[in-house]
Amino acid sequence: MNKTKFFAIILMLLLLLPVIAGAKTAPRGFSVVAKDKNTGKTKRIKLYDNSYALIIGASNYERGWPDLRGVKDDVAAVKTLLRNLGFSVTVVENPDSARLRSAYNDFIRKYGRSENNRLLIYYTGHGMTLKNTYGGQMGYIVPVDAPNPEIDRDGFLDKALDMQQMEVYAKRIQSKHALFMFDSCFSGSIFAMNKDAPKSITERTAKPVRQFITAGDANETVPDKSVFRRQFVKALSGDGDTNKDGYVTGDELGLFLSDTIINYSKGTQHPKYGRIRDPNLDQGDFVFAMAGSDKNVSDYTASPPVVSPSSDVQAKLDAETERLRREREEIERERKRKDSELKLEKERLKKE
């Protein structure tokens, strides 16, 4: 790092100090207003202590897949949305096969062992469905180093992460509520499709659940400019609250995304949503409280200070982050180019 960059970063930190000093504490978890099905009366019940999200974005593919330039915007938008809704967010970009698996394992190990945590895992990138030799299909999410199966099927199967493993991850989580979202299309055989209308929040909502939402069905194509991400943001900005109770549940979100994406994609995408096929994990419902709602407040737990930089400072930080990101990408492209030239030169010398 040269001196100019160093002093620029120090300046940014100094500009943030007054904001940090004036930050106020905010609630980390929240309780929900639930209706007693017998008496019809409402009461407040504790639901979550802490909320954590893992966002995985794969855009720069290496082995026969088209790059997905829109993924970077998707990751940024979802990150901002979830932070505004009280989630602590971890972002993993362009993971290879090993890093993709470690992202899931590390996230679950850190945050998935406390019962009252709320976990959301959001993947955006290529998805694929392959027919099994013994019948049926298997869906996969695709790390950046997985080859296209039309070119190298064995290499793809070695690298890609199948939905059966996703079921293992879902069951490894000890937290009562986990929602897996996939902005990609593939077969979703590990979960049962939910066809019921969303229900009001009751005490049953707090029971354990593993829910899944995909952007489309097997053999459909997700466009680089994601309809799924835009409708997800729209849903959690209030439009997904179909019964106007101040919450968006996993069922409400799945129904909203299904209806709107089929419409806006002109029938080319058919989102799938439902619960895992396990009687111990299919009773509850994931819950979001709308930003700005008093329902997002809990009186039993508080979080560390929340830092909200002013808009001009944030703009400078974003610009510097983007510049550094582009520099890294340029260095990586140059490295790959030189590696390729070196490989060709070695091959030429061997022939001589």
Side-chain angles (χ1 to χ4, degrees), residues 170-326:
K171 291 183 176 181
R172 191 178 296 170
I173 293 170
Q174 299 301 305
S175 305
K176 58 187 174 186
H177 285 182
L179 172 62
F180 292 75
M181 301 187 68
F182 304 92
D183 190 0
S184 51
C185 295
F186 42 67
S187 173
S189 60
I190 70 166
F191 60 89
M193 288 294 296
N194 189 358
K195 299 180 180 179
D196 298 330
K199 300 177 178 62
S200 298
I201 290 178
T202 66
E203 287 185 275
R204 183 173 177 174
T205 302
K207 291 182 177 294
V209 73
R210 304 290 179 266
Q211 288 166 287
F212 299 82
I213 303 176
T214 73
D217 205 352
N219 303 317
E220 294 181 341
T221 301
V222 172
D224 193 14
K225 292 185 177 181
S226 173
V227 179
F228 185 83
R229 181 263 290 180
R230 286 175 171 80
Q231 294 307 307
F232 176 51
V233 172
K234 192 174 181 181
L236 297 191
S237 297
D239 286 15
D241 182 12
T242 55
N243 61 4
K244 306 304 178 186
D245 63 353
Y247 305 112
V248 172
T249 65
D251 283 348
E252 279 183 306
L253 178 61
L255 180 62
F256 177 86
L257 292 176
S258 180
D259 288 346
T260 59
I261 291 173
I262 289 174
N263 179 37
Y264 289 122
S265 71
K266 298 180 180 180
T268 61
Q269 285 179 242
H270 295 77
K272 302 297 180 184
Y273 70 100
R275 292 174 170 80
I276 196 169
R277 300 177 187 274
D278 187 315
N280 296 313
L281 293 170
D282 68 351
Q283 299 300 305
D285 204 352
F286 200 93
V287 180
F288 300 92
M290 295 299 87
S293 169
D294 60 356
K295 299 181 187 301
N296 203 30
V297 176
S298 167
D299 56 4
Y300 54 81
T301 186
S303 71
V306 175
V307 177
S308 301
S310 61
S311 58
D312 59 334
V313 171
Q314 185 63 57
K316 291 177 182 177
L317 287 171
D318 290 343
E320 179 66 12
T321 300
E322 177 64 14
R323 188 182 65 78
L324 291 173
R325 181 187 67 76
R326 289 177 179 175

Side-chain angles (χ1 to χ4, degrees), residues 29-45:
F30 62 88
S31 55
V32 295
V33 178
K35 183 179 290 187
D36 188 300
K37 63 180 181 180
N38 296 318
T39 66
K41 296 181 179 180
T42 59
K43 63 178 180 179
R44 187 172 289 274
I45 60 172

